[in-house]
Amino acid sequence: MSKRLRLAIQSSGRLSDSTTELLSAIGIRISRPDRKLRMVSEHFALEVLFVRDDDIPGYVADGVADVGIVGENVVLEKNPDVRVLDRLGFARCRLSIALPKADPYSGPKDLEGKHIATSYPGLLGRYFEQQGVNVTIHEISGSVEIAPGIGLADGICDIVSSGSTLISNGLKEVETVLQSEAVLIASQELDPELAALLDTLRFRIQSVLKAGKHRYILMNVPNTAIERVTEILPGMRAPTVMPLATEGWSSVHSVIPENTFWDVIDSLKEAGAEGMLVIPIEKMVL
Ligand code: PRP
Ligand code: ZN
């Protein structure tokens, strides 16, 4: 029987929706009618394990799972023996220190002697070591943000994404310890069959990530301006040029990095381009 690649993902939480979306974009439909803890994909030799995000690095290190999708913050905190393969560009967040809104703050030295509650004692400990500041770290596993309000700690260090959890608990962010996003991790050693499946999985994920970073652009250009327009377009290859029914005009198509559109639009207009359309790309296989 051929093998299946075992992929551990978060069962529910900040990462799970985007993870499910990414998997769906590469043809792996997640369906968990009875909230099963395992699911076998029909279209890919894959078994998906639904677990707590904090457990994913350990499962991958121990070989319970072959690969995992998890926040880099969790990986760096646990420091497991795994390979971090790809940054996935979603679930961006930061690990930050926060204090009650009214507390004065001018820099890390103000935290000397304070008690800080966190689920990230490893990362926070290293941070204060680098800063040369002495604090007492209280490790708690959840609802960190209520610690100052109930007198358990002076401040907290936790994941901040939109910032609304801090605001609703009367806290303000004062230092960023780490920037994080979802990453793909894998066991140190995989047998050749599983390694080949992992390559396929990564190739598909890259196609989706690249597509998200690019746009398909099309515009009408007088033939006399095609050369100028081609020079302006930050394309991957030479653009496609097709004649329009209107004499002397062409339709020019190209793929551009999504963040360059606003930089080039004025130059394109000046060069004579009209009727520009910018369209999302679903997948990009290079
Ligand atoms: C983090 C953190 C906050 C929330 C912050 O939890 O503990 O509760 O996200 O998000 P906000 O800034 O958008 O309000 P996370 O989703 O990482 O869950 P977990 O710690 O339970 O895994
Ligand atoms: Zn968690």
Side-chain angles (χ1 to χ4, degrees):
M1 211 191 82
S2 60
K3 292 191 173 153
R4 290 181 188 282
L5 191 70
R6 284 161 307 169
L7 167 68
I9 67 171
Q10 189 187 37
S11 54
S12 74
R14 228 158 26 81
L15 287 128
S16 51
D17 286 350
S18 310
T19 303
T20 307
E21 266 168 44
L22 176 65
L23 293 178
S24 148
I26 62 171
I28 298 161
R29 286 277 136 64
I30 301 290
S31 80
R32 292 176 71 203
D34 38 14
R35 303 197 55 78
K36 276 206 187 76
L37 299 182
R38 293 162 57 144
M39 187 204 92
V40 170
S41 164
E42 290 159 29
H43 306 291
F44 194 90
L46 191 80
E47 183 178 321
V48 183
L49 310 177
F50 302 92
V51 297
R52 285 190 54 217
D53 61 342
D54 305 48
D55 294 333
I56 293 175
Y59 283 162
V60 174
D62 296 344
V64 173
D66 305 307
V67 286
I69 293 177
V70 65
E72 197 183 13
N73 53 303
V74 177
V75 179
L76 292 174
E77 173 64 26
K78 310 267 170 193
N79 205 12
D81 186 20
V82 299
R83 292 179 286 155
V84 177
L85 297 177
D86 300 302
R87 306 177 73 81
L88 302 176
F90 63 85
R92 286 186 202 276
C93 62
R94 50 198 188 273
L95 180 65
S96 292
I97 299 170
L99 294 176
K101 223 169 32 195
D103 285 14
Y105 184 82
S106 59
K109 292 268 179 265
D110 291 358
L111 299 169
E112 181 76 34
K114 301 256 192 217
H115 292 239
I116 310 285
T118 189
S119 315
Y120 295 86
L123 286 167
L124 187 61
R126 267 175 265 164
Y127 172 81
F128 282 120
E129 222 166 85
Q130 279 164 12
Q131 298 289 331
V133 173
N134 289 302
V135 301
T136 305
I137 295 176
H138 292 271
E139 181 175 0
I140 52 179
S141 58
S143 303
V144 172
E145 59 278 356
I146 64 167
I150 60 172
L152 188 70
D154 302 306
I156 67 160
C157 175
D158 199 9
I159 293 301
V160 180
S161 156
S162 65
S164 61
T165 302
L166 291 187
I167 290 171
S168 59
N169 287 280
L171 300 170
K172 63 175 175 189
E173 201 174 346
V174 296
E175 294 292 340
T176 302
V177 173
L178 177 87
Q179 300 278 353
S180 174
E181 66 186 87
V183 291
L184 180 72
I185 59 172
S187 301
Q188 291 293 5
E189 296 209 10
L190 289 177
D191 75 44
E193 201 176 336
L194 293 176
L197 285 169
L198 175 57
D199 284 346
T200 307
L201 183 77
R202 289 178 74 188
F203 178 78
R204 292 191 187 185
I205 289 174
Q206 289 310 319
S207 307
V208 171
L209 295 183
K210 269 187 218 125
K213 287 189 201 130
H214 291 82
R215 295 290 179 272
Y216 193 82
I217 182 170
L218 29 106
M219 69 202 89
N220 297 334
V221 179
N223 290 345
T224 50
I226 287 174
E227 203 179 316
R228 177 78 194 107
V229 162
T230 305
E231 282 166 11
I232 297 164
L233 282 174
M236 324 200 313
R237 296 266 160 74
T240 306
V241 179
M242 284 175 288
L244 286 181
T246 312
E247 185 76 25
W249 282 76
S250 295
S251 172
V252 174
H253 299 203
S254 186
V255 171
I256 61 171
E258 62 128 352
N259 52 4
T260 58
F261 175 72
W262 295 110
D263 297 338
V264 298
I265 181 163
D266 292 328
S267 328
L268 289 170
K269 272 160 62 185
E270 268 163 41
E274 291 179 5
M276 281 179 237
L277 293 180
V278 180
I279 300 168
I281 299 171
E282 194 178 283
K283 289 175 186 84
M284 225 162 104
V285 180
L286 302 177

Short mmCIF file of all heavy atoms in Angstrom, two decimals, residues 97-120:
data_model
loop_
_atom_site.label_atom_id
_atom_site.label_comp_id
_atom_site.label_asym_id
_atom_site.label_seq_id
_atom_site.Cartn_x
_atom_site.Cartn_y
_atom_site.Cartn_z
N ILE A 97 4.58 42.75 24.36
CA ILE A 97 4.42 43.02 25.79
C ILE A 97 3.38 44.13 25.91
O ILE A 97 3.41 45.10 25.14
CB ILE A 97 5.75 43.45 26.42
CG1 ILE A 97 6.78 42.32 26.27
CG2 ILE A 97 5.57 43.81 27.90
CD1 ILE A 97 8.19 42.72 26.63
N ALA A 98 2.45 43.96 26.86
CA ALA A 98 1.41 44.97 27.05
C ALA A 98 1.27 45.29 28.54
O ALA A 98 1.46 44.43 29.40
CB ALA A 98 0.08 44.49 26.47
N LEU A 99 0.91 46.53 28.80
CA LEU A 99 0.73 47.01 30.18
C LEU A 99 -0.65 47.66 30.31
O LEU A 99 -1.24 48.06 29.29
CB LEU A 99 1.78 48.09 30.50
CG LEU A 99 3.25 47.66 30.56
CD1 LEU A 99 4.13 48.89 30.79
CD2 LEU A 99 3.47 46.61 31.65
N PRO A 100 -1.14 47.81 31.55
CA PRO A 100 -2.39 48.57 31.72
C PRO A 100 -2.24 49.95 31.09
O PRO A 100 -1.17 50.57 31.18
CB PRO A 100 -2.52 48.67 33.25
CG PRO A 100 -1.81 47.45 33.76
CD PRO A 100 -0.65 47.24 32.81
N LYS A 101 -3.32 50.38 30.43
CA LYS A 101 -3.30 51.60 29.62
C LYS A 101 -2.71 52.81 30.34
O LYS A 101 -1.97 53.59 29.74
CB LYS A 101 -4.75 51.92 29.20
CG LYS A 101 -4.88 52.34 27.77
CD LYS A 101 -6.35 52.39 27.33
CE LYS A 101 -7.29 52.77 28.45
NZ LYS A 101 -8.71 52.48 28.16
N ALA A 102 -3.01 52.94 31.62
CA ALA A 102 -2.60 54.15 32.35
C ALA A 102 -1.15 54.12 32.81
O ALA A 102 -0.60 55.14 33.23
CB ALA A 102 -3.52 54.36 33.55
N ASP A 103 -0.49 52.96 32.75
CA ASP A 103 0.89 52.87 33.24
C ASP A 103 1.84 53.68 32.36
O ASP A 103 1.80 53.59 31.14
CB ASP A 103 1.38 51.40 33.23
CG ASP A 103 0.78 50.59 34.36
OD1 ASP A 103 -0.20 51.08 34.98
OD2 ASP A 103 1.27 49.48 34.62
N PRO A 104 2.73 54.46 33.01
CA PRO A 104 3.72 55.18 32.20
C PRO A 104 4.71 54.18 31.61
O PRO A 104 4.99 53.15 32.22
CB PRO A 104 4.42 56.09 33.22
CG PRO A 104 4.21 55.43 34.54
CD PRO A 104 2.91 54.68 34.45
N TYR A 105 5.21 54.46 30.42
CA TYR A 105 6.20 53.57 29.81
C TYR A 105 7.11 54.34 28.89
O TYR A 105 6.65 55.07 28.02
CB TYR A 105 5.51 52.45 29.01
CG TYR A 105 6.50 51.46 28.46
CD1 TYR A 105 6.99 50.43 29.25
CD2 TYR A 105 6.98 51.58 27.15
CE1 TYR A 105 7.94 49.54 28.77
CE2 TYR A 105 7.92 50.69 26.66
CZ TYR A 105 8.40 49.68 27.47
OH TYR A 105 9.33 48.80 26.99
N SER A 106 8.44 54.18 29.08
CA SER A 106 9.36 54.86 28.17
C SER A 106 10.38 53.91 27.56
O SER A 106 11.12 54.28 26.66
CB SER A 106 10.07 56.01 28.89
OG SER A 106 10.77 55.49 30.01
N GLY A 107 10.43 52.65 28.01
CA GLY A 107 11.37 51.69 27.43
C GLY A 107 11.46 50.45 28.30
O GLY A 107 10.93 50.42 29.42
N PRO A 108 12.13 49.39 27.79
CA PRO A 108 12.21 48.10 28.49
C PRO A 108 12.70 48.22 29.94
O PRO A 108 12.27 47.45 30.80
CB PRO A 108 13.20 47.30 27.65
CG PRO A 108 13.12 47.90 26.29
CD PRO A 108 12.82 49.35 26.49
N LYS A 109 13.55 49.19 30.24
CA LYS A 109 14.07 49.34 31.60
C LYS A 109 12.94 49.58 32.62
O LYS A 109 13.07 49.22 33.79
CB LYS A 109 15.07 50.51 31.67
CG LYS A 109 16.36 50.25 30.92
CD LYS A 109 17.44 49.64 31.84
CE LYS A 109 18.72 49.34 31.10
NZ LYS A 109 18.81 47.95 30.61
N ASP A 110 11.84 50.18 32.14
CA ASP A 110 10.70 50.42 33.03
C ASP A 110 10.07 49.12 33.52
O ASP A 110 9.25 49.13 34.44
CB ASP A 110 9.61 51.24 32.31
CG ASP A 110 10.06 52.67 32.05
OD1 ASP A 110 11.18 53.02 32.46
OD2 ASP A 110 9.28 53.43 31.45
N LEU A 111 10.43 48.00 32.88
CA LEU A 111 9.83 46.72 33.27
C LEU A 111 10.64 46.00 34.35
O LEU A 111 10.24 44.97 34.85
CB LEU A 111 9.67 45.82 32.04
CG LEU A 111 8.76 46.40 30.94
CD1 LEU A 111 8.86 45.58 29.66
CD2 LEU A 111 7.31 46.46 31.42
N GLU A 112 11.80 46.57 34.70
CA GLU A 112 12.67 45.98 35.72
C GLU A 112 11.86 45.68 36.99
O GLU A 112 11.13 46.53 37.49
CB GLU A 112 13.81 46.98 36.04
CG GLU A 112 14.82 46.51 37.07
CD GLU A 112 15.83 45.49 36.52
OE1 GLU A 112 16.19 45.58 35.32
OE2 GLU A 112 16.24 44.60 37.28
N GLY A 113 12.00 44.42 37.47
CA GLY A 113 11.34 44.01 38.71
C GLY A 113 9.86 43.68 38.58
O GLY A 113 9.23 43.28 39.55
N LYS A 114 9.31 43.83 37.37
CA LYS A 114 7.86 43.59 37.20
C LYS A 114 7.56 42.11 37.04
O LYS A 114 8.45 41.31 36.74
CB LYS A 114 7.35 44.33 35.95
CG LYS A 114 7.56 45.82 36.00
CD LYS A 114 6.29 46.55 36.31
CE LYS A 114 6.44 48.05 36.06
NZ LYS A 114 5.72 48.84 37.04
N HIS A 115 6.30 41.77 37.21
CA HIS A 115 5.81 40.41 36.98
C HIS A 115 5.03 40.39 35.67
O HIS A 115 4.09 41.16 35.50
CB HIS A 115 4.90 39.99 38.13
CG HIS A 115 5.64 39.81 39.42
ND1 HIS A 115 5.66 38.62 40.11
CD2 HIS A 115 6.40 40.68 40.13
CE1 HIS A 115 6.42 38.76 41.19
NE2 HIS A 115 6.86 40.00 41.24
N ILE A 116 5.45 39.53 34.76
CA ILE A 116 4.81 39.46 33.44
C ILE A 116 4.23 38.06 33.23
O ILE A 116 4.94 37.07 33.38
CB ILE A 116 5.83 39.75 32.30
CG1 ILE A 116 6.65 41.03 32.56
CG2 ILE A 116 5.13 39.81 30.95
CD1 ILE A 116 5.93 42.32 32.34
N ALA A 117 2.95 38.02 32.85
CA ALA A 117 2.29 36.74 32.58
C ALA A 117 2.35 36.43 31.08
O ALA A 117 2.15 37.34 30.26
CB ALA A 117 0.83 36.79 33.03
N THR A 118 2.61 35.19 30.73
CA THR A 118 2.71 34.83 29.31
C THR A 118 2.59 33.33 29.10
O THR A 118 2.83 32.54 30.02
CB THR A 118 4.06 35.31 28.71
OG1 THR A 118 4.04 35.12 27.30
CG2 THR A 118 5.24 34.54 29.30
N SER A 119 2.24 32.94 27.88
CA SER A 119 2.32 31.53 27.47
C SER A 119 3.60 31.30 26.69
O SER A 119 3.80 30.24 26.12
CB SER A 119 1.13 31.15 26.58
OG SER A 119 -0.06 31.65 27.10
N TYR A 120 4.43 32.34 26.60
CA TYR A 120 5.67 32.25 25.83
C TYR A 120 6.90 32.55 26.71
O TYR A 120 7.64 33.51 26.45
CB TYR A 120 5.61 33.23 24.65
CG TYR A 120 4.54 32.86 23.66
CD1 TYR A 120 3.22 33.29 23.84
CD2 TYR A 120 4.84 32.06 22.57
CE1 TYR A 120 2.23 32.93 22.94
CE2 TYR A 120 3.85 31.70 21.66
CZ TYR A 120 2.55 32.13 21.86
OH TYR A 120 1.58 31.77 20.97
#
